[in-house]
Amino acid sequence: MATIDIDGVRKRFGNVDVLHGVDLTIADGEFVVLVGPSGCGKSTLLRLIAGLEDISRGAIRIDGERVNDLAPRARDIAMVFQSYALYPHMSVERNMDYSLRLRKTPAERAREAVEGAAGKLGIDRLLQRKPRTLSGGQRQRVAMGRAIVRTPKAFLFDEPLSNLDARLREQMRGEIKKMHQDLGATSIYVTHDQIEAMTLADRIVAMNEGLVQQIGPPRELYEHPTNLFVAGFIGSPAMNFIDATYRREGQNAFLVVGEKRLALDERDVADGTPVTLGLRAEDIAIDADPEDPGAIEATVELVEPLGLGTIVHVQALGTHIKALSLAVVEHRVGSRIWIRPHPEKFHVFEEATGRRLERKAQFAAELPA
Amino acid sequence: MSVQAERRPGWHGTRRRFALRMEPYFYASPALIFIVAVMLVPLAIGLSYAFRDITLLNPFSGGFVGVQHFVDLWHDSDFWQALGNTVTWTVASVSLQFFLGLVLALRLYRPFPGRGLVQALVFVPWAVPMFLSGLNFAWLFNPVIGPLPHWLYAVGILSSPENILSDPAIAIWGPIVANVWWGVPFFAITLLAALQSIPPEIYEAAEIDGAGTWRRFADITVPFLAPTIAITVLLRAVWIANAPDLIVAMTGGGPADSTQIVASYIFTQAFKGLDFGYASAVATVLLMLLLVYALIVLMIRQSLLKAS
Ligand SMILES: Nc1ncnc2c1ncn2[C@@H]1O[C@H](COP(=O)(O)OP(=O)(O)OP(=O)(O)O)[C@@H](O)[C@H]1O
Ligand SMILES: [Mg+2]
């Protein structure tokens, strides 16, 4: 168990800058999830922590000790690879106790550790098999088992579930969460999966193009994305973005979208600033009262029943908008409806910089502690 | 065939099973006949010479002599010496080629500036005709025109700068050195290809698990290379045991037959002594020995494959 301190870390391959200065402090026992688009440097960051790549600039400290120049094996960290990277010529048991044998753990203790981990993961009957005879899900469990037998200082996971089907992924997600609650081990987890990120993380780190965009608990990234990138990246279905102009007349602030005026609380920005209005699909009510001043006329383009609810795609405010309703929606494609975005849930971003414009009056109160 | 066999009610039991069993062979028969004609017939004729008296200079030869050649062989001390030399020649050449090839492959596996050029250069000896490289080394070992005796003398390996090819005690090492130079690329390139097929994450996982350089080599590289090593060593050993070119080009088996291997002995008997019958008998014995050797190595390889 350990803290991990990433301090101004940069990485360049040849003359390509991949990480441009990453700062991140991970508390003991914390579960941190790295998300970001493909190629933004998530795996690279993980490999730097593991010691598989050299750090170009900056420092990484594990439990306060600078590890820049330590070989991977001296860092006492376990990693679960996307491809699992099991040793194909060794049995499951040998795969799992390899690290223990290298550390000259007494055979009795090693067997106990392997059997304990295998029992926890439900692979105790596979111990004598070779990896090639296992299914994808079983291999994944062996890879997890190999990581947990030696109780390392921290776990690194690089998209460990991405090769599994949806059902198995859901199940393993639950097991990883349970395992983390049992072991309480410091973990860094890379994923593309929104739900994995939201459910597993104590804190999410959203990255883009080698820069950390926002770090915070899942709800904070979801409810207060700090910029357009995070707003668009976190959440599924993705947030709707609508071009608008911020106007203020006396005490009243409002957004102008085409002909439409949408009232909102004052923001700390000049009158007439071009902004982007972000609306989460679930914050848009459908079948609103046409008399309501906040209601917007819309044309139904597509109806996607999810089982849990329905995503209604509409044409409104001169753009395509997705609204999520938990009710069963029976609208026909092409029919006219009225939608109403929840004004409390408006996300407003400055168009030029993409930064979030906080509500002025409650600015201090809104920031999470 | 099979369709008919199934429909005929009278066809059952062994006869039907026999017809079904034979069916694939009918399809394969054209290819089988071709293989027999091209490979087995010449082999059989060659083997038959071993039991006949075929001496080119004797027009009355050609009669059947039974196992007489093999009896002579048993008492032929030159043959036994050649057999011993064959073992020395093969074991020394293959193990040196393999060891140096492995070192070279491991070196070429890690990227470094100019790797592409070095890889191409490593391949060069392989492209030189074996006979030519034999002549080349014969000159290199000649103290009048070649530098090697002087170098060996300078570092203290030789007590005087003489031609090692004319010293019966060490002459065999001349062709061995030429053979190693010529054969290293084969091992380097095949082992490099095998190394490159090992997924890099496996090494990374082992590194994180705590394996140092030596343990990664022993626990990952070696098991992954083992099947390739077994098959290349087998092939090269048979090839080298069978290849008289370098010996013939460099020493002609001499001095005093001290560098004769079985393959060059066959060549000498056939084309210098012109005794084709006896040469065939020697060749038959060599063939049998190599078959036994190949069977053993294939069995080892099978068990290696099963283990991995
Ligand atoms: N060894 C390398 N040499 C050169 N460039 C590299 C190397 N490894 C990674 N890169 C580059 O670094 C960038 C980040 O790669 P990285 O694998 O960290 O992305 P990622 O965020 O993990 O993406 P993904 O979600 O697709 O796995 C990419 O542009 C990649 O091309
Ligand atoms: Mg990656």
Side-chain angles (χ1 to χ4, degrees):
Chain A
M1 262 29 41
T3 61
I4 299 177
D5 194 10
I6 299 167
D7 187 5
V9 163
R10 291 165 173 273
K11 175 65 187 174
R12 55 186 331 182
F13 288 109
N15 49 13
V16 186
D17 268 316
V18 173
L19 295 177
H20 317 267
V22 172
D23 293 294
L24 175 61
T25 302
I26 299 165
D28 186 14
E30 198 176 13
F31 200 111
V32 167
V33 173
L34 295 182
V35 297
S38 194
C40 71
K42 308 181 292 292
S43 299
T44 304
L45 184 56
L46 224 52
R47 294 169 60 83
L48 289 174
I49 298 168
L52 297 173
E53 306 279 359
D54 290 329
I55 299 165
S56 304
R57 200 88 73 72
I60 293 181
R61 280 181 285 275
I62 298 176
D63 259 350
E65 183 197 3
R66 188 183 143 102
V67 297
N68 284 38
D69 304 316
L70 281 189
R73 66 199 181 112
R75 298 189 186 191
D76 194 14
I77 271 181
M79 182 156 172
V80 179
F81 292 79
Q82 182 175 3
S83 61
Y84 312 143
L86 300 178
Y87 310 122
H89 54 291
M90 299 185 195
S91 66
V92 167
E93 186 175 11
R94 287 282 92 83
N95 261 281
M96 288 173 67
D97 70 9
Y98 184 57
S99 59
L100 300 177
R101 279 182 295 141
L102 288 173
R103 283 174 174 71
K104 310 248 184 300
T105 311
E108 192 55 31
R109 277 248 309 286
R111 239 203 32 236
E112 267 170 33
V114 168
E115 277 168 5
K120 219 177 280 175
L121 290 158
I123 49 173
D124 25 10
R125 305 162 69 93
L126 307 176
L127 287 179
Q128 299 315 319
R129 305 250 296 258
K130 289 280 164 62
R132 121 180 78 82
T133 68
L134 303 179
S135 73
Q138 291 167 335
R139 286 177 206 189
Q140 211 285 326
R141 283 163 199 268
V142 176
M144 300 281 291
R146 184 169 68 177
I148 62 175
V149 283
R150 64 187 168 100
T151 48
K153 283 186 180 163
F155 290 106
L156 307 177
F157 301 89
D158 196 351
E159 306 189 35
L161 305 185
S162 60
N163 289 336
L164 303 181
D165 69 59
R167 165 78 44 204
L168 206 51
R169 204 147 62 202
E170 192 181 310
Q171 187 188 343
M172 282 311 293
R173 194 174 74 214
E175 289 183 23
I176 290 176
K177 180 141 192 165
K178 243 190 13 245
M179 222 165 64
H180 181 248
Q181 281 163 357
D182 286 355
L183 303 174
T186 310
S187 306
I188 306 180
Y189 188 104
V190 170
T191 182
H192 273 128
D193 187 303
Q194 297 283 336
I195 303 176
E196 269 171 42
M198 298 298 284
T199 54
L200 289 174
D202 291 326
R203 283 190 303 159
I204 292 181
V205 177
M207 291 179 59
N208 191 29
E209 295 183 348
L211 280 173
V212 171
Q213 303 290 320
Q214 187 172 4
I215 303 177
R219 290 203 68 88
E220 183 185 323
L221 269 76
Y222 193 80
E223 290 168 3
H224 291 273
T226 185
N227 58 30
L228 266 177
F229 169 79
V230 178
F233 195 78
I234 301 285
S236 171
M239 187 184 273
N240 298 293
F241 289 129
I242 300 156
D243 291 335
T245 310
Y246 177 79
R247 297 299 314 274
R248 196 169 45 209
E249 284 175 358
Q251 285 303 304
N252 299 322
F254 53 92
L255 293 176
V256 179
V257 186
E259 307 283 280
K260 190 78 190 170
R261 287 176 162 218
L262 299 170
L264 85 165
D265 301 309
E266 210 173 321
R267 309 283 151 145
D268 191 8
V269 73
D271 184 19
T273 308
V275 296
T276 302
L277 168 62
L279 292 172
R280 294 227 178 262
E282 68 270 28
D283 297 333
I284 302 174
I286 59 175
D287 297 323
D289 178 2
E291 303 302 313
D292 189 322
I296 300 163
E297 197 174 12
T299 312
V300 177
E301 290 187 313
L302 186 65
V303 179
E304 287 183 306
L306 298 178
L308 177 66
T310 312
I311 301 178
V312 184
H313 298 240
V314 300
Q315 171 84 36
L317 299 174
T319 181
H320 305 280
I321 293 177
K322 279 173 281 185
L324 174 67
S325 163
L326 286 184
V328 178
V329 177
E330 303 273 5
H331 290 302
R332 294 263 205 86
V333 171
S335 58
R336 316 207 121 252
I337 60 171
W338 291 82
I339 60 173
R340 185 179 180 285
H342 199 308
E344 293 289 305
K345 303 285 177 81
F346 281 7
H347 302 268
V348 184
F349 304 94
E350 190 174 43
E351 196 179 282
T353 60
R355 85 188 158 91
R356 178 184 189 83
L357 298 173
E358 286 292 353
R359 214 174 285 186
K360 209 174 182 184
Q362 294 145 293
F363 186 65
E366 275 283 333
L367 273 184
Chain B
M1 251 330 289
S2 67
V3 177
Q4 277 195 359
E6 273 159 33
R7 280 197 192 144
R8 293 250 295 267
W11 273 59
H12 49 250
T14 47
R15 244 193 323 159
R16 175 164 183 268
R17 239 177 294 140
F18 177 74
L20 287 176
R21 183 91 55 77
M22 289 309 292
E23 187 182 355
Y25 295 96
F26 285 101
Y27 297 130
S29 56
L32 286 178
I33 290 168
F34 185 75
I35 290 172
V36 167
V38 171
M39 294 181 66
L40 295 186
V41 169
L43 183 66
I45 294 175
L47 289 179
S48 78
Y49 290 160
F51 301 93
R52 290 162 63 191
D53 171 25
I54 301 184
T55 317
L56 274 197
L57 291 183
N58 180 357
F60 301 107
S61 69
F64 182 72
V65 296
V67 295
Q68 185 57 45
H69 287 320
F70 294 96
V71 174
D72 293 345
L73 193 61
W74 187 258
H75 300 291
D76 180 352
S77 65
D78 285 348
F79 167 74
W80 289 107
Q81 191 193 347
L83 198 60
N85 281 343
T86 306
V87 173
T88 312
W89 155 256
T90 309
V91 169
S93 300
V94 172
S95 44
L96 285 172
Q97 284 181 2
F98 167 73
F99 182 71
L100 294 176
L102 180 62
V103 170
L104 204 54
L106 289 171
R107 198 62 210 81
L108 287 173
Y109 176 65
R110 298 254 157 243
F112 58 88
R115 178 164 71 153
L117 183 72
V118 176
Q119 268 185 24
L121 283 180
V122 162
F123 216 58
V124 165
W126 188 249
V128 175
M130 213 182 195
F131 202 78
L132 198 64
S133 66
L135 291 178
N136 184 40
F137 267 90
W139 291 328
L140 288 176
F141 279 119
N142 184 330
V144 181
I145 45 174
L148 289 184
H150 304 284
W151 291 350
L152 290 173
Y153 171 65
V155 298
I157 295 176
L158 290 182
S159 53
S160 62
E162 278 167 22
N163 193 341
I164 67 165
L165 297 178
S166 50
D167 179 347
I170 53 171
I172 188 83
W173 289 96
I176 288 175
V177 167
N179 198 5
V180 169
W181 177 83
W182 187 78
V184 161
F186 172 82
F187 278 105
I189 301 296
T190 35
L191 291 176
L192 181 61
L195 278 176
Q196 283 168 339
S197 72
I198 305 175
E201 304 97 66
I202 305 248
Y203 283 114
E204 294 176 350
E207 222 173 324
I208 290 175
D209 266 349
T213 313
W214 166 248
R215 289 254 53 104
R216 289 201 299 276
F217 178 75
D219 296 340
I220 294 174
T221 311
V222 171
F224 265 89
L225 292 188
T228 310
I229 292 174
I231 199 75
T232 48
V233 166
L234 161 78
L235 288 174
R236 289 302 294 156
V238 171
W239 178 279
I240 286 171
N242 265 333
D245 318 32
L246 288 172
I247 304 264
V248 171
M250 292 177 71
T251 66
D257 275 343
S258 65
T259 59
Q260 204 73 274
I261 63 169
V262 175
S264 65
Y265 189 58
I266 296 168
F267 179 83
T268 313
Q269 289 300 322
F271 296 104
K272 293 214 175 115
L274 299 178
D275 189 344
F276 278 70
Y278 191 64
S280 280
V282 180
T284 306
V285 170
L286 181 59
L287 174 70
M288 293 304 156
L289 291 175
L290 290 177
L291 277 180
V292 169
Y293 165 77
L295 275 180
I296 293 171
V297 179
L298 281 177
M299 265 155 34
I300 295 173
R301 179 180 140 86
Q302 207 60 40
S303 65
L304 275 179
L305 278 180
K306 213 169 282 164
S308 69

